[in-house]
Amino acid sequence: MLFDSYEKKAKGDDTDLFPLLSLLESNGLPPLNVEPISWMSFPSEPVIFTAGNSGSYSVSGTLPYGPGCNIVNITFLGSKEGTNVTISSGSNGGNWGTLDLDDCFPNYSDSFNISGSTPGKARVVYRVFNNVYNGWFPDLKAGQIIGVVNVTITAD
């Protein structure tokens, strides 16, 4: 149903788009199955900037376990889709939008700069890396999409 609705919208036919289906879409790109987690916060508004410039976004969270050093750590990998964008390393040294949390510092907050030179829509998709420990995180699974940052690059 979602794919059919997306295909119709891509062809300019909005007649079957119910409000619920519209909420499941992501910035004009194909819909994703996002399963957010309550202790991580991603921006709800899109990052918007003019081609050739940059914008920024922040991600924060508090591990539900800790403090306790070297018992719990988890990584969320950021990947890009849509128009080509570049993300600078986060202020905490995260590589290309990657979020690394551990229980030595259970309160996580990081900011990222994002830039692009081609007008269009993009998104940064955060997935659970394969180092998730089911004992500590029974509701998470490797590859689970936990958050999306939508990006709009406008023309000059």
Side-chain angles (χ1 to χ4, degrees):
M1 181 170 75
L2 286 174
F3 183 76
D4 180 60
S5 182
Y6 174 75
E7 288 293 309
K8 286 180 181 177
K9 183 176 180 184
K11 293 176 182 171
D13 179 2
D14 290 337
T15 57
D16 75 330
L17 287 180
F18 299 100
L20 178 59
L21 292 176
S22 297
L23 292 174
L24 295 173
E25 291 188 52
S26 184
N27 206 30
L29 297 170
L32 294 172
N33 182 22
V34 180
E35 300 175 72
I37 51 178
S38 62
W39 43 273
M40 288 297 296
S41 177
F42 294 88
S44 57
E45 297 295 319
V47 177
I48 301 172
F49 57 91
T50 305
N53 292 309
S54 65
S56 63
Y57 67 92
S58 296
V59 178
S60 62
T62 301
L63 276 175
Y65 310 100
C69 276
N70 301 319
I71 297 173
V72 176
N73 63 40
I74 190 164
T75 301
F76 302 116
L77 296 178
S79 63
K80 60 185 175 180
E81 297 179 353
T83 298
N84 190 32
V85 293
T86 302
I87 298 179
S88 66
S89 294
S91 55
N92 291 332
N95 295 322
W96 206 97
T98 298
L99 314 174
D100 292 307
L101 288 76
D102 70 51
D103 58 338
C104 290
F105 303 98
N107 295 319
Y108 179 88
S109 181
D110 208 347
S111 297
F112 298 91
N113 287 324
I114 188 165
S115 61
S117 56
T118 305
K121 306 262 186 186
R123 61 186 172 197
V124 182
V125 180
Y126 284 95
R127 290 177 171 86
V128 177
F129 189 55
N130 62 5
N131 68 343
V132 63
Y133 300 106
N134 290 341
W136 291 101
F137 303 101
D139 296 334
L140 296 182
K141 58 191 174 296
Q144 175 180 336
I145 299 172
I146 62 155
V148 176
V149 178
N150 288 312
V151 179
T152 300
I153 304 172
T154 60
D156 297 333

